[in-house]
Amino acid sequence: GAPTSVLLTSDYGRLLVLKGLVVGVVLACGAWHRRTLRTREAPGIWSVRGELLLALAVLAVTSVLTGTAPPAE
């Protein structure tokens, strides 16, 4: 495969890193919401909306990523 330096020097690599970071934040928000619900407290509407917007951002980045050519090896 291509070297890891391509992740930061190509559009495809930067989008892939961005997607990974946003997915990580969505997972962290989901874990936090789950923990909050286990203590029988409802999470705030803004945090739920934020998680939804981040999930939509993952879809948006993915749609751009599918139209971006991977770097040449």
Side-chain angles (χ1 to χ4, degrees), residues 5-6 8-9 12-13 22 24 27 30-31 35-36 39-41 45 47 50 56-57 59 61 64 70-71:
S5 64
V6 164
L8 299 178
T9 59
Y12 185 86
V22 177
L27 290 173
R35 186 182 64 202
T36 302
T39 61
R40 299 187 190 263
E41 297 175 19
I45 190 69
S47 66
L56 291 173
L59 291 175
V61 171
V64 174

Side-chain angles (χ1 to χ4, degrees), residues 2-26:
T4 55
S5 64
V6 164
L7 287 177
L8 299 178
T9 59
S10 69
D11 290 339
Y12 185 86
R14 285 189 292 267
L15 284 169
L16 195 58
V17 169
L18 176 63
K19 180 183 173 185
L21 290 173
V22 177
V23 165
V25 173
V26 169

Side-chain angles (χ1 to χ4, degrees), residues 30-53:
W32 182 74
H33 286 141
R34 181 178 177 166
R35 186 182 64 202
T36 302
L37 287 172
R38 284 184 169 209
T39 61
R40 299 187 190 263
E41 297 175 19
I45 190 69
W46 290 109
S47 66
V48 173
R49 285 181 182 170
E51 184 179 353
L52 176 61
L53 288 174

